[in-house]
Amino acid sequence: MLPLVLFSAGTATADLVLVMPLLQVIGLTLIWNRWGLPKGWWRIALAIVANFAAAAVPVLCWFGLCGYALLLTAGVMLRVLIAVGGLFCGGVLLLLCETIRRGRLRWRPWVPGMLRVGFAVLLTVPILESTALLIARSKFQALPMPGNLPPSAEGEIRIAAIGGSTMLGFPYEPHYSIGHVLAWQLRQMYPEHEVQLENLAVTGANLEQALARLGDLRKKPDVILVYSGHNQFFHRLEELSLARAASWGAIDEWMSISAVFRIVNPLLAQQMMVTKSPEGDRHLCGIRICPEHLLKTRLRRYASQLENFFRWAKQNDIAVVCCSPVAGESDFEPNLSLGDPGDLATMAAIENQWSKVRSLQQNQEWTVALDLCSSLLQKYPGVAEFHFRAGECCLKLDRPDAARSHFEKAINMDQFPIRALDSYREAALQVARQNGVTYLDTEDVMRRHSEHGQLSAEFFLDGVHPNLRSTFLIGRAVTDAAIKADAFHRHGPPSSPHRLTFAESMQDHKIDGNVLANAYETTVDVLKRYSDFRPFDRERRLNEAAAYAALAAKLRNQDIVPGEDGTESVDADVEYRDSDQ
């Protein structure tokens, strides 16, 4: 009985889709046969639209898509009205110029009426656009900064650190972080001073949330460390969802010139998000999650927030060291490449070629695999995965510069990025220079300590978070940058210029096998989560998670000590190379 009911329900849906338009055509034929066709082209067009709607609405309601269709129609009308409005205003201005040239108003019977309507539109459009522009600009208002902070005590050096998980010291917190390295070095350089670190970083925080934490400052710091950029994509997800729900690609690039469009379109999209929207499954490739115009908006917001913070710090005589976010490139694949999941034939071809490239790599046929990647990138330039595979091949063929170029493109073309994009680093650098703020290129720090200049698993646990050695190196670079910026000028020059070593740092912060085991167990969870971002290919990240789980278990059982079986050493001789070396 149940199969019969299900079959009946399924056939009823199919029958409705066929019967409703058929009934509409029959009814329309009978009406036209009895009363004739409408007179005039506009009546015919109106009849076609009305009958199409009468046939479509019941079917859409049956499938629960009526609301989605209405909002989609509203989106179309919004774009049409803005486009027609712009063209109409331009036409009115041309008509006015032609009327002035002819020297008389009624050179055509319809000109006076058209000019009256045109003047009304020309007055209305600037008012609407100006109002919308004011609303849009309100989104870039400065974040509230702390008021007058109480000064630190005499002989006290205070450091504040803001940012996300990397600045927090993840996954070694609360034992070790970039701020810990700076504070520890300062205690050796200013032994007569008390050095206090306020680490206000929060795992997963974007810049806006990081700056909001400044309200928790207890006293005025001498220097504030900033490390933010990796998490920018994962915040304001509703903004991304709205953009995806109502994005028309290149058309919206032009439409976004209108402030009215920038205000109304997200409102329509917000309603579309709560209706049923047909979407395909995500595979190797997917649609652009963040449209170009929205990417620019988010980037301007990021730069504006940094600039407001830098100005506040300058007004309060607080030094700032802004660290560019750095992540792995040669061991961490992009999550999603650009493509149209609806184009099944192209997607199948891309995935088939991707499988061929991986097969060639597994057989160590690096030259053939690189040639195939190069040809595929000419045909499918938006597939970040092919850039990553080409970078792997270049590394194996001892072409480090070419490999770096491919890896950088793979990161910046990732449609679901969990690593900071170059555009954010460049924006931070520009704002820092404009405001006289010290900017530390941590990517350069890492590359100086890499044999081939590659950002690999040598420096990162999970492709994003620095390991102990990298944290120490960044901390050393931050120390030098802060001293060079004269961040501690009110305390005088350091009484001891000595910089302690990595092994001394590990010993003083009590980094042992248990700390590493905790860090590796946390990394296992992170890598498993990251594997969800590549549902079509979880293998590498799950294998790395399994390897860390095994190392954590061995450390827990004291079967090995730090430095054995690929675990991190806590007594290694780490040479720090400054920018002059």
Side-chain angles (χ1 to χ4, degrees):
M1 187 68 180
L2 181 59
L4 180 60
V5 172
L6 294 175
F7 175 77
S8 300
T11 53
T13 300
D15 291 344
L16 181 68
V17 175
L18 296 174
V19 169
M20 288 302 298
L22 180 61
L23 291 175
Q24 191 71 23
V25 171
I26 293 173
L28 190 62
T29 303
L30 292 175
I31 292 172
W32 284 357
N33 184 60
R34 175 65 179 82
W35 285 284
L37 293 173
K39 305 299 182 181
W41 66 268
W42 67 271
R43 289 189 175 92
I44 294 176
L46 183 61
I48 293 173
V49 171
N51 281 275
F52 177 80
V57 167
V59 176
L60 291 171
C61 289
W62 180 267
F63 285 103
L65 292 174
C66 188
Y68 182 82
L70 288 174
L71 290 167
L72 190 62
T73 302
V76 173
M77 293 303 299
L78 172 66
R79 290 163 175 80
V80 170
L81 287 174
I82 289 176
V84 171
L87 293 174
F88 183 76
C89 290
V92 169
L93 292 175
L94 291 176
L95 181 62
L96 178 62
C97 293
E98 179 64 16
T99 301
I100 294 173
R101 188 185 69 83
R102 290 176 178 266
R104 60 193 182 93
L105 180 61
R106 195 177 291 275
W107 56 276
R108 288 284 190 276
W110 48 268
V111 170
M114 182 62 70
L115 286 176
R116 282 195 295 271
V117 174
F119 286 143
V121 172
L122 285 175
L123 288 174
T124 303
V125 168
I127 293 174
L128 289 175
E129 287 292 328
S130 300
T131 303
L133 188 61
L134 290 174
I135 297 174
R137 284 184 174 178
S138 67
K139 298 180 179 180
F140 294 93
Q141 289 180 349
L143 292 171
M145 289 292 163
N148 294 326
L149 294 168
S152 58
E154 188 67 27
E156 182 183 57
I157 297 177
R158 298 193 68 87
I159 306 164
I162 60 173
S165 52
T166 297
M167 183 57 80
L168 181 63
F170 183 91
Y172 306 105
E173 82 283 0
H175 305 282
Y176 204 64
S177 69
I178 296 170
H180 280 92
V181 176
L182 172 60
W184 173 69
Q185 293 281 8
L186 289 176
R187 291 187 185 104
Q188 319 309 316
M189 301 165 68
Y190 292 90
E192 69 281 3
H193 286 68
E194 181 182 359
V195 180
Q196 295 290 336
L197 169 66
E198 282 189 83
N199 196 337
L200 303 176
V202 179
T203 298
N206 66 351
L207 179 62
E208 183 175 348
Q209 293 172 328
L211 294 176
R213 291 280 288 158
L214 292 173
D216 295 334
L217 285 172
R218 295 190 294 271
K219 293 182 180 180
K220 176 182 172 181
D222 293 279
V223 64
I224 299 177
L225 312 181
V226 187
Y227 189 111
S228 182
H230 286 320
N231 299 320
Q232 294 303 120
F233 185 83
F234 283 96
H235 287 271
R236 296 180 180 261
L237 289 178
E238 75 286 351
E239 187 178 59
L240 294 178
S241 299
L242 299 181
R244 291 186 67 190
S247 176
W248 290 43
I251 294 177
D252 284 1
E253 294 290 333
W254 288 97
M255 290 292 164
S256 62
I257 297 173
S258 167
V260 171
F261 178 80
R262 296 198 299 270
I263 295 297
V264 177
N265 189 53
L267 296 177
L268 290 175
Q270 186 175 17
Q271 296 301 316
M272 292 175 72
M273 288 300 297
V274 298
T275 62
K276 184 177 180 181
S277 173
E279 273 191 49
D281 294 330
R282 196 184 82 184
H283 295 291
L284 177 84
C285 296
I287 62 174
R288 189 182 300 278
I289 294 178
C290 187
E292 190 66 26
H293 68 90
L294 181 56
L295 181 62
K296 292 177 181 178
T297 298
R298 292 163 71 94
L299 193 59
R300 288 198 304 271
R301 183 188 299 134
Y302 175 81
S304 176
Q305 290 168 352
L306 269 182
E307 185 165 14
N308 291 328
F309 164 59
F310 292 160
R311 288 177 178 174
W312 170 83
K314 187 174 183 179
Q315 291 171 359
N316 288 272
D317 192 26
I318 300 174
V320 175
V321 176
C322 183
C323 305
S324 67
V326 62
E329 58 186 11
S330 61
D331 303 285
F332 199 83
E333 312 101 325
N335 291 316
L336 182 67
S337 294
L338 182 61
D340 181 7
D343 188 349
L344 299 180
T346 302
M347 291 299 100
I350 289 175
E351 293 187 5
N352 181 54
Q353 294 298 323
W354 172 65
S355 298
K356 287 183 179 180
V357 171
R358 295 194 63 187
S359 178
L360 290 170
Q361 289 182 321
Q362 291 170 357
N363 295 329
Q364 299 186 8
E365 299 181 50
W366 305 110
T367 302
V368 180
L370 178 59
D371 291 341
L372 179 56
C373 286
S374 299
S375 63
L376 290 172
L377 285 170
Q378 293 180 355
K379 189 174 183 180
Y380 309 111
V383 182
E385 187 77 17
F386 291 148
H387 273 296
F388 178 80
R389 299 297 168 183
E392 287 186 316
C393 295
C394 289
L395 272 187
K396 295 294 183 179
L397 295 172
D398 197 23
R399 304 178 190 174
D401 292 339
R404 176 177 172 179
S405 175
H406 281 296
F407 287 139
E408 289 178 347
K409 290 176 181 177
I411 292 175
N412 289 299
M413 293 170 62
D414 191 348
Q415 297 303 303
F416 196 68
I418 57 178
R419 295 167 290 183
L421 304 178
D422 282 347
S423 55
Y424 281 88
R425 280 191 283 265
E426 292 165 1
L429 173 60
Q430 181 178 359
V431 175
R433 284 178 173 172
Q434 290 172 350
N435 290 272
V437 168
T438 299
Y439 181 85
L440 177 62
D441 188 348
T442 54
E443 180 178 321
D444 177 64
V445 175
M446 294 295 97
R447 293 193 190 279
R448 291 201 306 264
H449 294 85
S450 172
E451 183 178 354
H452 298 291
Q454 301 298 322
L455 302 176
S456 65
E458 173 187 5
F459 299 108
F460 303 94
L461 292 176
D462 51 24
V464 178
H465 299 102
N467 58 21
L468 289 171
R469 174 172 174 253
S470 299
T471 302
F472 172 78
L473 293 173
I474 296 174
R476 273 293 309 269
V478 165
T479 303
D480 291 349
I483 295 295
K484 186 175 181 180
D486 202 20
F488 314 104
H489 59 88
R490 72 184 187 92
H491 303 286
S495 59
S496 173
H498 177 59
R499 306 289 200 277
L500 296 180
T501 65
F502 172 76
E504 291 171 322
S505 175
M506 295 295 99
Q507 181 179 356
D508 286 357
H509 289 93
K510 297 180 172 56
I511 306 298
D512 56 16
N514 286 327
V515 173
L516 289 185
N518 288 333
Y520 293 168
E521 287 167 352
T522 303
T523 301
V524 170
D525 295 334
V526 172
L527 286 168
K528 287 181 178 178
R529 175 59 178 155
Y530 286 171
S531 72
D532 293 337
F533 301 155
R534 279 178 64 92
F536 56 90
D537 179 29
R538 305 171 184 261
E539 182 180 1
R540 179 184 297 211
R541 296 176 189 180
L542 290 179
N543 287 342
E544 291 176 356
Y548 275 116
L551 292 176
K554 290 181 179 180
L555 288 168
R556 290 281 187 212
N557 297 329
Q558 298 184 352
D559 295 332
I560 59 174
V561 296
E564 294 181 349
D565 280 11
T567 58
E568 298 173 85
S569 173
V570 296
D571 57 5
D573 183 15
V574 176
E575 178 189 2
Y576 176 75
R577 305 168 188 167
D578 59 35
S579 58
D580 295 330
Q581 288 182 272

